[in-house]
Amino acid sequence: MATGTYHCPNCGAGLKYQPDLQKVTCDFCRSSFLPAEIEAFENKKQTKKAADQADVEHLVAYHCDNCGAEVVTDDTTAATFCYYCHNPVLITERLSGVFRPQKVIPFTIDKDSAIKRFQEYANKWKFIPRDFTGASQLEKMTGLYLPHWMVDYEADIDYSGKATQIRRWTTGQTEYTEHKEFNVNRQGTIAVNHLHEVAIRKIDKGLIDSITPYDETKAVDFSSAYLAGFFAEKYDIEQSEVEEPVAERARQYVRTLVQDTIGAYHEIQLERSSIDFHSVDWTYALLPAWVLTYQYRGQTYLYAVNGQTGKVFGSLPVNNRKLGLTSGIIAAVLLAAAVLGGLFLW
Amino acid sequence: MVGKRSLKTTVCLVFLLLPFIISAVASAAPEKVVDQAGVWSDSERAILSSEADRMGQTYQMDIVLVTTDDAGGKTPRDYADDYFDQNGYGVGPDASGILLLLDFDNREVYISTSGEAIRYMTDARIESVLDAVFDGGMLESRYFDAAGSFLRETESFLQAGIPEDQYTETEGQRILTWAEGLVGLLISGTAGTGFFVSTRKRYQAKTRPAVFDFRQNSIAQLIPYEDNLVNTFVTTRIRPPVNPTGGGGLSGSGRSTVHRSGSGRMHGGGGRRF
């Protein structure tokens, strides 16, 4: 099966995932379901259909399950909408096999709150173009699941050395310095879980990194029901490409965690400080973000809102006329103040 | 009838002209040394007076020495300026002169300058004369020596003439030069441009490296540990004493600061408390 739309078990209309309810709902008959319930319902239906769908798998063009219209997609799109009937469409072959995500952090910020967060962010800036926070512009806000490589590291720790505490006091002209030396040993394992790295080139990594952190402990096992009503992409950066930088970050975190346990000494001299990664567990995960583009004077501005925390990031367009006018006023006021101050206060 | 009226007119005339008559008499022979506080003996006063007269004639200005133990609620500056103005001191059309006031009421020494003397006695020179007065006896209550130091130091400056870089500046009022205007224009222009550029830069969001709450996402299982104290020792050293540092200000050496006195005339001057 090449495409999929989750249909309401009650009435057959298209289903959408609702971040505020954490459920899949039907706009038509107002039913709501847990993602797991829908998954079970769909599996039953699919085993029936499996035989007659087998030969459709090689198709390059996709068809909407709901109305049959052709769905044109990018080569990484995994979830989108039908242009004609506006039902959510999942490109299931891009969500299966090696492309099947194991984890997903579901959206908790819905479109309205994403728009509100973005308005709060944008309205803090005074020199933005007037239509920037207009309703028609903000309507383009799109919910998008971004592919990430997520990894759990476990490391053996063996630290040993000498730490010194220094206390200083003065009596009269004499300054006393007391050195207390301690033996320090730390052995055991430290696990750093849910470390993740962007797995798609299409969207600027800096933009996505800038809306971190996510609360990774809220990640759940993947079900494609979470994607209903959102866009999703499949990874185009292989796991092997991110292994090295992620390992370096993990090493850094583990080192910091060990330092934390050693704590408040003035000097630390380590004789042994080994960190040995011995078990590493990779998963493919989708993280939620709302994205918005804005065209201004031939330049495209791209914004991202963290779909879980609501953190906003993106460069803002500057209305040069507005800013120029204010700069001019500042210069004029300053000149007037300097002249008056020079004449009367100096 | 006629005689009475003319008598009345004469009396009126005399009363009307009285201030002028008095001032004419006063200006005819204004006393150069006025010791109202009584700190100098008669002979000392005579010496100071003759010295002040000699200097005044040499440099075409009035050198006046005044002491008081009741300033009548005036500040030393006002008292000195008013004393100079109201008693008709000053030589020439611009009433050139220097007045030294030892004010025992406000406990301040004040030097008031007027006319051409303003140009001789720049702010820096007045400070220097005050130094001489204080070092030369004021601090030890040797008031005759203090006055002598004043005369000596003042004469050395009068001898040296008006400094080449002398300029007169009215207190609290200035005229901007072209250079100053240009500097103001430059500063405000830079500030305006700076605001423009920095604002544009601020709107350009800087991407940050990924933030990851590794403390929340990590589990540490360490063998129970305890840091054992293995060694303690104490070192000592003698702290060098800290040298107190003195502060000092700079002032333009060629500047004579002037202000307007109660009578509307311009005066230079400077004082110091004792």
Side-chain angles (χ1 to χ4, degrees):
Chain A
M1 175 177 168
T3 58
T5 297
Y6 284 112
H7 294 280
C8 175
N10 296 341
C11 71
L15 293 173
K16 279 187 186 177
Y17 181 77
Q18 298 293 344
D20 48 345
L21 303 173
Q22 302 280 302
K23 276 181 176 174
V24 184
T25 63
C26 171
D27 283 344
F28 199 72
C29 69
R30 303 265 160 214
S31 312
S32 64
F33 310 93
L34 289 169
E37 291 173 342
I38 291 299
E39 192 90 325
F41 177 75
E42 287 291 319
N43 281 342
K44 233 186 283 171
K45 210 168 64 177
Q46 271 172 31
T47 42
K48 270 194 286 174
K49 280 188 182 178
D52 29 299
Q53 294 275 343
D55 52 335
V56 192
E57 240 171 86
H58 309 293
L59 281 180
V60 187
Y62 300 100
H63 291 274
C64 172
D65 234 22
N66 202 50
C67 68
E70 191 165 310
V71 178
V72 183
T73 68
D74 243 334
D75 56 352
T76 52
T77 304
T80 183
F81 290 81
C82 172
Y83 293 111
Y84 298 94
C85 66
H86 295 281
N87 264 300
V89 175
L90 303 181
I91 317 279
T92 40
E93 84 175 17
R94 288 178 183 164
L95 291 167
S96 55
V98 292
F99 292 121
R100 185 180 164 83
Q102 284 111 45
K103 293 274 180 195
V104 60
I105 297 179
F107 273 94
T108 48
I109 301 270
D110 63 12
K111 188 170 180 173
D112 286 342
S113 14
I115 287 175
K116 228 180 83 194
R117 298 292 185 104
F118 180 76
Q119 277 175 323
E120 282 167 13
Y121 173 75
N123 287 335
K124 273 189 284 188
W125 306 84
K126 298 284 168 259
F127 303 110
I128 50 176
R130 207 159 290 149
D131 68 330
F132 183 56
T133 50
S136 63
Q137 160 64 18
L138 295 179
E139 203 37 54
K140 295 179 208 153
M141 182 85 75
T142 306
L144 179 63
Y145 276 108
L146 298 165
H148 279 71
W149 289 112
M150 199 178 262
V151 61
D152 295 348
Y153 273 107
E154 199 173 281
D156 282 335
I157 306 303
D158 188 2
Y159 269 53
S160 115
K162 198 177 272 177
T164 313
Q165 241 172 30
I166 292 170
R167 196 161 64 92
R168 222 169 245 139
W169 70 94
T170 312
T171 309
Q173 290 283 301
T174 315
E175 185 184 84
Y176 298 86
T177 308
E178 180 196 64
H179 304 254
K180 278 187 168 175
E181 290 181 350
F182 295 85
N183 269 343
V184 172
N185 288 297
R186 299 289 181 275
Q187 273 101 26
T189 59
I190 289 182
V192 176
N193 299 326
H194 309 121
L195 193 50
H196 52 85
E197 187 67 31
V198 180
I200 186 160
R201 288 196 173 83
K202 208 155 78 177
I203 296 180
D204 178 42
K205 174 173 151 57
L207 180 76
I208 302 170
D209 280 347
S210 297
I211 59 167
T212 53
Y214 282 93
D215 181 1
E216 294 82 4
T217 57
K218 296 274 160 52
V220 296
D221 287 337
F222 177 77
S223 155
S224 40
Y226 286 110
L227 306 192
F230 296 101
F231 289 87
E233 298 280 326
K234 75 173 180 66
Y235 69 84
D236 64 359
I237 296 177
E238 296 294 330
Q239 178 197 317
S240 56
E241 291 177 60
V242 301
E243 272 172 11
E244 199 34 55
V246 173
E248 187 43 49
R249 273 173 63 198
R251 202 163 284 130
Q252 200 74 47
Y253 294 144
V254 171
R255 219 172 282 142
T256 310
L257 288 165
V258 180
Q259 291 296 341
D260 284 358
T261 70
I262 298 176
Y265 288 104
H266 295 95
E267 281 166 28
I268 294 165
Q269 283 176 305
L270 291 173
E271 287 146 24
R272 209 165 54 238
S273 62
S274 87
I275 296 172
D276 180 23
F277 287 117
H278 63 82
S279 95
V280 175
D281 184 17
W282 287 89
T283 51
Y284 172 38
L286 296 181
L287 271 56
W290 290 95
V291 293
L292 180 68
T293 54
Y294 178 71
Q295 303 281 342
Y296 185 65
R297 287 170 189 261
Q299 213 182 327
T300 306
Y301 293 86
L302 187 59
Y303 301 91
V305 182
N306 187 315
Q308 189 192 28
T309 64
K311 186 173 173 185
V312 186
F313 182 83
S315 291
L316 291 125
V318 178
N319 185 339
N320 277 333
R321 236 185 38 198
K322 229 167 157 184
L323 176 60
L325 198 70
T326 310
S327 303
I329 290 171
I330 287 176
V333 167
L334 218 66
L335 181 62
V339 168
L340 292 178
L343 280 177
F344 297 114
L345 296 178
W346 225 284
Chain B
M1 282 281 274
V2 177
K4 257 186 189 173
R5 188 180 287 168
S6 71
L7 184 70
K8 247 186 191 169
T9 318
T10 312
V11 170
C12 278
L13 218 70
V14 167
F15 270 99
L16 270 174
L17 291 175
L18 198 60
F20 296 97
I21 295 164
I22 289 171
S23 76
V25 170
S27 66
E31 189 61 52
K32 297 291 164 37
V33 178
V34 187
D35 185 15
Q36 298 167 109
V39 297
W40 295 314
S41 66
D42 286 350
S43 60
E44 285 173 345
R45 211 161 57 230
I47 293 167
L48 293 173
S49 186
S50 73
E51 191 63 15
D53 279 337
R54 182 190 61 72
M55 275 169 65
Q57 269 157 26
T58 313
Y59 300 102
Q60 284 306 295
M61 55 180 71
D62 278 344
I63 309 291
V64 189
L65 304 169
V66 180
T67 69
T68 183
D69 47 13
D70 178 17
K74 287 183 184 173
T75 63
R77 175 201 276 195
D78 287 345
Y79 189 89
D81 292 350
D82 292 349
Y83 200 90
F84 190 90
D85 294 345
Q86 285 162 14
N87 293 294
Y89 292 113
V91 175
D94 62 350
S96 181
I98 304 171
L99 183 144
L100 170 76
L101 172 70
L102 304 185
D103 183 342
F104 292 91
D105 188 10
N106 293 303
R107 300 208 62 77
E108 187 171 328
V109 176
Y110 190 86
I111 294 167
S112 173
T113 57
S114 170
E116 185 74 358
I118 292 171
R119 302 195 59 211
Y120 281 94
M121 303 307 286
T122 61
D123 292 1
R125 285 179 168 188
I126 286 173
E127 281 303 306
S128 165
V129 173
L130 286 169
D131 285 343
V133 170
F134 275 79
D135 295 341
M138 197 67 210
L139 291 175
E140 291 99 41
S141 305
R142 291 185 282 111
Y143 303 118
F144 173 69
D145 293 345
S149 299
F150 162 75
L151 293 172
R152 263 193 308 284
E153 191 73 5
T154 303
E155 180 157 30
S156 75
F157 285 129
L158 295 177
Q159 236 163 28
I162 297 167
E164 260 174 41
D165 60 350
Q166 191 276 338
Y167 64 97
T168 303
E169 184 182 301
T170 305
E171 214 173 72
Q173 193 194 338
R174 281 187 75 203
I175 290 160
L176 289 187
T177 62
W178 277 110
E180 284 166 333
L182 209 67
V183 166
L185 211 65
L186 212 73
I187 290 172
S188 58
T190 311
T193 318
F195 179 75
F196 188 89
V197 172
S198 72
T199 306
R200 277 199 67 100
K201 220 172 180 177
R202 248 173 350 104
Y203 277 52
Q204 202 68 43
K206 247 191 245 99
T207 58
R208 281 156 288 195
V211 182
F212 178 66
D213 189 350
F214 60 93
R215 288 197 170 79
Q216 193 192 327
N217 285 290
S218 64
I219 304 157
Q221 286 175 305
L222 298 180
I223 297 166
Y225 54 82
E226 201 176 325
D227 298 343
N228 295 317
L229 181 66
V230 288
N231 190 15
T232 306
F233 60 94
V234 176
T235 56
T236 61
R237 85 184 173 105
I238 306 297
R239 276 154 48 105
V242 184
N243 289 323
T245 49
L250 283 174
S251 63
S253 62
R255 185 181 58 220
S256 301
T257 310
V258 293
H259 55 269
R260 200 172 288 281
S261 72
S263 69
R265 280 184 14 199
M266 301 305 281
H267 282 275
R272 191 178 296 174
R273 301 185 61 82
F274 57 85

